[in-house]
Amino acid sequence: MTFTLYNAPPSTCSQRARFVLNAKGLPFDEVKLDLLAGDQLKPEYLALNPGGVVPTLDHDGQIVIDSSVIIEYLDEVAPEPAHFTPADPVARARMRALMRFIDEMPAAAVRVPTFNLAFLPRFAAMSEDEFRAFAESKPLRKEFMLTMGRTGFPEAEMNAALDRLRRTYARMDAEIERSGGPWLLGKDISLADVAVMPALVRMADLGLEAMWSGLPRVGRWYDAIRAHPAFAPTYYPGSLLTERLPHLRERAKQQRAP
Ligand SMILES: N[C@@H](CCC(=O)N[C@@H](CS)C(=O)NCC(=O)O)C(=O)O
């Protein structure tokens, strides 16, 4: 089996796919796209992924898109040595329900602080016409970009996104309490843990890990996922925004200052 992953090092969705490939010990080639330069909008990439988003998996010439679908696919075609889907249909249904919740809530919400805090200076430097053309060329994210504009999401939108993330961490806490932990579904890590992972790593990268400081079960979950052998190869240098953006590094430091 040969795998090629079209992805971007700091992309949260790409990190899910890299984690599962690494956990399974599957060798893969990476094609790294520069999302701010618009590599994902080139016709040759749109032919693979019409949404113009990463990641895209090429498995022996078969194209699979969408990070949640990709990680489920990988767990089906390479169930050993590490398996991420419970055998019991009820537990499996619970995992899938959590994955839907994660895609709808934190995976979408995390884009608001990410764009407002990390990428805005880049867009603010564009002319209005340039920005509009860039936004209009995005098949999936056109409205998101136009709502953000060159001045960023308004405070109310930012607060709503942060609140959705807070509710996600509370839901994680409740799930871990119910299952007995250390993972969302109990003693075994599942695709739901992989799906939510980037929504915590990104917030920590922005200096906002205090959001789950009152939730010790989530704190232990976060330590456990960072200690997983697949974590370090997934978050290789350049995968964090603070490694790429000096202005963000400064801001994250200030966030953590007492
Ligand atoms: N549901 C898709 C969403 C993919 C997605 O939004 N990817 C982001 C990076 S995490 C992207 O490629 N953005 C490109 C853009 O905004 O133009 C998935 O999970 O694969």
Side-chain angles (χ1 to χ4, degrees), residues 11-13 16 35 40 52-55 66-67 111 138 141:
S11 133
T12 51
C13 315
R16 293 172 168 180
L35 301 181
Q40 74 280 26
V53 289
V54 290
D66 194 283
S67 60
R111 290 185 198 118
K138 292 190 179 229
R141 294 290 137 72

Side-chain angles (χ1 to χ4, degrees), residues 226-245:
R226 284 188 303 164
H228 191 287
F231 191 89
T234 295
Y235 286 91
Y236 53 69
S239 299
L240 296 180
L241 294 176
T242 42
E243 293 168 336
R244 296 172 162 258
L245 302 168

Side-chain angles (χ1 to χ4, degrees), residues 35-251:
L35 301 181
L36 290 176
D39 289 349
Q40 74 280 26
L41 306 169
K42 293 185 176 150
E44 58 273 26
Y45 184 73
L46 289 172
L48 300 176
N49 187 325
V53 289
V54 290
T56 295
L57 181 74
D58 178 332
H59 174 206
D60 290 337
Q62 299 294 336
I63 299 301
V64 185
I65 61 170
D66 194 283
S67 60
S68 289
V69 176
I70 290 171
I71 59 178
E72 286 205 55
Y73 175 83
L74 288 169
D75 217 31
E76 285 172 7
V77 297
E80 300 297 337
H83 196 50
F84 287 87
T85 307
D88 170 43
V90 174
R92 208 177 266 236
R94 187 161 291 151
M95 179 191 84
R96 292 197 174 115
L98 273 173
M99 290 173 78
R100 301 290 183 279
F101 167 80
I102 291 161
D103 276 345
E104 189 168 336
M105 285 274 282
V110 84
R111 290 185 198 118
V112 174
T114 296
F115 275 71
N116 252 20
L117 302 177
F119 300 144
L120 208 56
R122 169 73 182 247
F123 300 124
M126 289 179 171
S127 73
E128 189 57 36
D129 284 352
E130 258 177 322
F131 176 78
R132 236 195 137 72
F134 192 57
E136 300 269 356
S137 67
K138 292 190 179 229
L140 278 189
R141 294 290 137 72
K142 170 178 155 179
E143 289 76 12
F144 173 86
M145 293 291 286
L146 292 174
T147 308
M148 178 185 69
R150 284 164 57 238
T151 49
F153 289 103
E155 203 183 333
E157 195 117 359
M158 182 78 166
N159 288 340
L162 294 177
D163 192 50
R164 283 157 78 82
L165 287 158
R166 244 176 245 117
R167 275 146 55 207
T168 299
Y169 307 139
R171 169 85 183 264
M172 286 178 73
D173 189 60
E175 295 289 340
I176 298 167
E177 184 176 22
R178 177 164 105 163
S179 73
W183 304 107
L184 293 173
L185 293 183
K187 65 180 184 18
D188 296 319
I189 189 168
S190 77
L191 294 178
D193 297 290
V194 179
V196 80
M197 167 189 73
L200 284 91
V201 177
R202 170 57 50 83
M203 295 309 280
D205 194 19
L206 296 174
L208 297 170
E209 61 271 53
M211 285 180 79
W212 58 86
S213 61
L215 302 168
R217 276 181 283 266
V218 177
R220 284 193 291 276
W221 177 97
Y222 184 59
D223 291 342
I225 202 131
R226 284 188 303 164
H228 191 287
F231 191 89
T234 295
Y235 286 91
Y236 53 69
S239 299
L240 296 180
L241 294 176
T242 42
E243 293 168 336
R244 296 172 162 258
L245 302 168
H247 77 88
L248 203 61
R249 218 162 25 243
E250 258 326 290
R251 197 187 176 280

